[in-house]
Amino acid sequence: MGYQEIFKQSIEDPQSFWAEKAEDIFWFQKPESVLSQDKKGNYRWFKGGMLNTAYLALDYHIETGYGDQIALIYDSPVTGKKRKYTYMQLRDKVAAFSGALLSLGVRKGDRVVIYMPMIPEAVISMLGCARIGAIHSVVFGGFAPHELAIRIDDAKPKVIVTASNGIEFTRVIAYKPLVDSAIKQAKHKPDHCIVFQRDQLKAELNNERDLDYSDLVAKARPGAYIPVEATDPLYILYTSGTTGKPKGIVRDNGGHAVALKSTMKNIYGINRGDVYWAASDVGWVVGHSYIVYAPLLAGATTILFEGKPVRTPHAGVFWRVLSEYKVKTFFTAPTAFRAMKKEDPFGSLAKNYDLSELKYLFLAGERLDPPTYHWLKDLMKDKPVVDHWWQTESGWPMVANPLGIEKFEVKPGSATKPVYGFDVQVLDDDGKPVKASTEGNIVVKLPLPPGCLPTLWNDEKRFLASYMERFPGYYHTGDGGYIDEEGYVFIMGRTDDVINVAGHRLSTGAMEELIASHPAVAECAVVGINDELRGQVPAGFIVIKDRYKIDEYSLVGELVTMIREEIGSFAYFRQTAVVKRLPKTRSGKILRHIIRKMADGDEFTVPSTIDDVKILDEIKEVLYDKQIGKAFQTEGI
Ligand code: COA
Ligand code: AMP
């Protein structure tokens, strides 16, 4: 069957479409229904089905004769270590860790926060939770204690798992003091903190709460997998919304396993035994879905890479890994290639490696900008370079070039076609469908396919308000864009206050909330402006309180430090300026989009509702003076 037929069936008859896909995983008990609605009217997939995601990812392969196949390759240029785990070895490590959790009283439905660098123990901890039905919540290691504390208070974990340190290029970052500080800040106190001691640094275990990972595992009896309901949560992954409070995206077990397994073949062209590499971080959704779960569900070999695209030790390290492990499909963020391109403009380093086994290159996390696409295409020659679009909320691609089904010609700037199950449409602000090639709000007609968020952790109200109420009957993605006459989807960027910095999703609202808490700040606006390497970076515009005495430079310095220490340095909040006033509508709404467009040097129409048009000249002057954005380089400003 070709794409069109498959897509049509998935939309017109989702029940039989997904019933068939569900046959591809092993159920301890088959679902009573494929698609149903709960009492509140929310859609649920595979109700009544019993399964275990860690069993499907590991034990199932062993039982079907693939125990000696390599499941995971750990390659760490920052430590010089490389290690391979067969399915059997990985399962044994996971079972041992499950046993350790059980010995601490962790049971089905309990939460476990994982704050770890890119080491095998992070993957083992995730699967160890899944094996016993505990719900993991991985927090990206770049987040500062304040952000970790917010997540601890929301998820209320029984246990936190961490490591003594992470490594950023050559810099060793002690994790344990960060976790200690987060626990101190949080109202909820976990019973235990399990610490994996790495060679670079030994963390101090200073009270009964702290436990050594290796000791604990050595003492525990292996934990058995338990069947869980398809609708039971597998994990919570916090992602940035428009406020300081992150959204706890819930992923259930059944829909996730069925959907993810289907994508390996249909989208990424991966079969059992193939090598697949997603160069992301386990702290992000790409890491959850495509470093850990999907490749293992498919019986492939996955790579866990602890390094960066550059300077670990050089801009050819990705080509080295691709060649060394004969990777068939590679997936990363465009920003990683932009970083490589900066250091190796002609991609000469790729020529040192045999890339003949590499078949497909996938990019996501942000729009694949046409210059990066062309650079890669020139380098890759006949290998497809595929942009595909998705979100933490969806858990898997909503728009892609489904290479395992049908290969479409690429249109640079487009993520290609809606993936089966996703009825992607474009609506205007009044909820009416727009004509082809007209920009509007990107939405997905309900029901969403399996694997997408059924709700937000502890916040059904926000789930409905954020995603379901703006356009009744549709999931509101928060992205804007258009679909052309040939059905190609172009995602043009967020329509809300979420920005994307080097493939990392961040909330400008969260930054504003922090900045506004500084006693000198009367009001502020943070906007995401274009950046050649990172895609976007935040820029802050601050109004100081009338009679507050503070030197402008000290304030700016304090605010930059504040964001580093409270959110994390990866937020890259470095450009900020004091302004006399912010542009507003007469009703007092800050015109952030105008500031952003001015900084990017884009054209804009001055809204008739603007309070005082002269403010725009003041902002222009500040952009020029502080050299913020591109605008100051443009003639005439
Ligand atoms: N733990 C602690 N700190 C971290 C961190 C982590 N996991 N990740 C980033 N940081 C810190 C860095 O150390 C740096 O700190 P500094 O300001 O004190 O130097 C800061 O955050 C900025 O980091 P980063 O944005 O990573 O910049 P960089 O110059 O170190 O690297 C890139 C630039 C483009 C190479 C890097 O951002 C990258 O690899 N991006 C790809 C990201 C990706 O794959 N995203 C996929 C999501 S799908
Ligand atoms: P995250 O939830 O961190 O995966 O971020 C999701 C957001 O990243 C989306 O809502 C988009 O704004 C952006 N994004 C991800 N992939 C793409 C892509 N291929 N093209 C355009 N935007 C993307």
Side-chain angles (χ1 to χ4, degrees):
M1 267 204 277
Y3 163 83
Q4 200 50 43
E5 218 176 323
I6 292 175
F7 180 74
K8 195 163 171 271
Q9 194 207 341
S10 77
I11 302 302
E12 288 177 359
D13 188 5
Q15 301 258 6
S16 43
F17 182 85
W18 288 106
E20 198 191 311
K21 291 267 179 279
E23 293 291 324
D24 203 27
I25 66 164
F26 178 81
W27 297 88
F28 297 124
Q29 189 179 299
K30 297 258 184 206
E32 288 157 17
S33 64
V34 177
L35 178 63
S36 55
Q37 278 175 289
D38 63 18
K39 283 188 214 115
K40 292 177 205 144
N42 296 328
Y43 290 99
R44 299 311 305 254
W45 288 95
F46 307 120
K47 200 166 161 281
M50 302 290 286
L51 76 165
N52 182 288
T53 303
Y55 167 85
L56 294 174
L58 299 167
D59 303 67
Y60 177 77
H61 302 303
I62 300 166
E63 289 173 13
T64 48
Y66 298 95
D68 293 331
Q69 192 200 298
I70 302 298
L72 179 83
I73 299 174
Y74 167 59
D75 187 298
S76 167
V78 293
T79 59
K81 287 207 168 98
K82 293 176 187 176
R83 218 178 304 146
K84 291 184 180 175
Y85 297 81
T86 63
Y87 270 92
M88 184 97 75
Q89 288 165 337
L90 190 59
R91 193 275 312 268
D92 290 349
K93 298 256 177 218
V94 167
F97 187 73
S98 298
L101 289 176
L102 288 170
S103 74
L104 299 178
V106 175
R107 297 289 180 268
K108 177 173 177 280
D110 288 339
R111 274 81 59 214
V112 174
V113 161
I114 300 173
Y115 183 74
M116 288 244 189
M118 288 285 286
I119 55 176
E121 287 69 22
V123 178
I124 292 165
S125 304
M126 292 165 75
L127 291 163
C129 290
R131 190 172 174 87
I132 57 167
I135 303 166
H136 62 69
S137 185
V138 183
V139 179
F140 173 58
F143 275 118
H146 169 74
E147 290 289 323
L148 179 56
I150 293 176
R151 287 154 176 79
I152 291 173
D153 273 335
D154 198 64
K156 300 195 172 34
K158 216 168 200 172
V159 168
I160 297 189
V161 192
T162 189
S164 51
N165 66 276
I167 304 165
E168 281 291 298
F169 298 104
T170 52
R171 193 155 48 100
V172 171
I173 297 180
Y175 272 31
K176 182 66 180 5
L178 303 177
V179 174
D180 286 343
S181 161
I183 295 176
K184 209 166 152 200
Q185 289 179 44
K187 285 193 201 77
H188 172 83
K189 308 292 173 195
D191 297 347
H192 295 287
C193 179
I194 306 177
V195 185
F196 182 77
Q197 300 281 19
R198 303 189 71 187
D199 295 343
Q200 300 76 27
L201 192 76
K202 294 283 167 264
E204 262 185 51
L205 308 185
N206 36 26
N207 53 38
E208 278 175 20
R209 191 194 64 209
D210 297 342
L211 299 163
D212 180 275
Y213 182 108
S214 307
D215 286 352
L216 193 66
V217 164
K219 277 190 236 137
R221 291 217 326 263
Y225 55 80
I226 61 156
V228 300
E229 299 262 354
T231 48
D232 280 337
L234 168 67
Y235 68 76
I236 307 164
L237 179 58
Y238 289 90
T239 191
S240 299
T242 49
T243 67
K245 189 171 183 274
K247 293 166 164 172
I249 305 296
V250 173
R251 190 85 58 217
D252 64 11
N253 276 275
H256 174 256
V258 172
L260 256 60
K261 188 167 182 203
S262 83
T263 60
M264 289 308 284
K265 197 163 185 252
N266 293 317
I267 297 180
Y268 300 104
I270 287 285
N271 296 306
R272 169 179 293 290
D274 288 339
V275 184
Y276 180 88
W277 179 26
S280 177
D281 189 288
V282 289
W284 305 115
V285 67
V286 176
H288 280 63
S289 294
Y290 291 106
I291 295 176
V292 184
Y293 288 110
L296 297 179
L297 287 165
T301 298
T302 185
I303 296 180
L304 184 75
F305 173 75
E306 191 185 20
K308 300 258 183 179
V310 291
R311 292 186 283 134
T312 57
H314 52 70
V317 66
F318 274 15
W319 309 125
R320 192 269 293 162
V321 173
L322 290 168
S323 159
E324 187 168 333
Y325 303 113
K326 300 187 171 24
V327 174
K328 182 177 177 190
T329 302
F330 180 46
F331 175 177
T332 193
T335 189
F337 281 113
R338 288 197 297 270
M340 287 160 69
K341 185 175 147 201
K342 213 168 147 207
E343 298 202 4
D344 178 23
F346 304 105
S348 317
L349 293 168
K351 301 191 177 85
N352 300 338
Y353 301 93
D354 173 8
L355 298 174
S356 55
E357 301 288 333
L358 179 65
K359 296 283 176 284
Y360 313 119
L361 197 59
F362 280 82
L363 295 115
E366 54 175 325
R367 180 166 180 256
L368 173 56
D369 52 295
T372 308
Y373 169 77
H374 290 299
W375 184 79
L376 275 169
K377 194 63 199 148
D378 285 350
L379 217 57
M380 292 289 109
K381 306 269 184 302
D382 54 335
K383 300 183 205 294
V385 174
V386 176
D387 183 12
H388 63 328
W389 169 71
W390 49 303
Q391 307 179 312
T392 308
E393 287 85 344
S394 68
W396 56 288
M398 295 188 275
V399 174
N401 201 339
L403 297 184
I405 299 175
E406 190 173 333
K407 187 176 143 205
F408 288 99
E409 203 174 307
V410 167
K411 291 192 187 182
S414 167
T416 315
K417 304 257 180 170
V419 172
Y420 51 84
F422 290 98
D423 188 357
V424 178
Q425 303 190 13
V426 185
L427 303 181
D428 66 16
D429 286 345
D430 297 325
K432 298 210 179 63
V434 300
K435 287 205 194 93
S437 296
T438 308
E439 243 184 83
N441 300 285
I442 306 268
V443 296
V444 183
K445 192 161 188 287
L446 299 178
L448 289 168
C452 298
L453 81 169
T455 188
L456 291 179
W457 184 253
N458 280 338
D459 211 344
E460 176 79 7
K461 223 168 127 196
R462 190 175 182 197
F463 165 73
L464 297 173
S466 305
Y467 304 110
M468 302 297 169
E469 284 167 4
R470 174 76 179 83
F471 300 108
Y474 298 87
Y475 162 74
H476 178 211
T477 68
D479 278 306
Y482 62 94
I483 303 180
D484 76 4
E485 285 72 7
E486 290 176 289
Y488 280 68
V489 183
F490 290 75
I491 306 292
M492 304 308 290
R494 299 287 306 191
T495 52
D496 56 15
D497 298 330
V498 167
I499 60 169
N500 206 305
V501 181
H504 305 135
R505 177 166 158 180
L506 286 154
S507 158
T508 52
M511 295 182 212
E512 286 182 3
E513 278 178 32
L514 276 173
I515 293 170
S517 70
H518 190 291
V521 175
E523 58 179 351
C524 66
V526 177
V527 299
I529 60 173
N530 289 336
D531 179 80
E532 228 163 79
L533 173 64
R534 291 182 162 74
Q536 278 184 306
V537 289
F541 298 86
I542 321 294
V543 180
I544 302 181
K545 280 181 187 155
D546 267 354
R547 275 182 283 276
Y548 202 94
K549 293 269 164 286
I550 189 163
D551 159 64
E552 186 179 320
Y553 289 98
S554 338
L555 175 63
V556 165
E558 280 175 34
L559 296 176
V560 167
T561 309
M562 192 173 183
I563 301 289
R564 277 179 79 86
E565 289 178 355
E566 301 283 302
I567 293 182
S569 44
F570 75 98
Y572 225 78
F573 182 78
R574 298 189 179 187
Q575 306 197 57
T576 188
V578 171
V579 292
K580 279 191 229 124
R581 301 177 291 168
L582 291 168
K584 289 186 187 168
T585 60
R586 277 189 285 279
S587 61
K589 206 165 169 278
I590 299 173
L591 291 162
R592 292 179 179 80
H593 68 287
I594 300 281
I595 307 180
R596 179 167 48 78
K597 286 190 167 159
M598 286 174 74
D600 287 341
D602 288 346
E603 279 183 20
F604 61 91
T605 339
V606 178
S608 55
T609 51
I610 195 163
D611 180 32
D612 180 357
V613 77
K614 281 195 222 100
I615 302 177
L616 297 185
D617 292 329
E618 292 170 20
I619 297 281
K620 257 188 205 172
E621 236 171 77
V622 171
L623 289 170
Y624 185 82
D625 193 37
K626 304 286 178 222
Q627 307 216 332
I628 292 179
K630 289 247 157 48
F632 69 90
Q633 297 164 355
T634 317
E635 229 183 307
I637 187 165

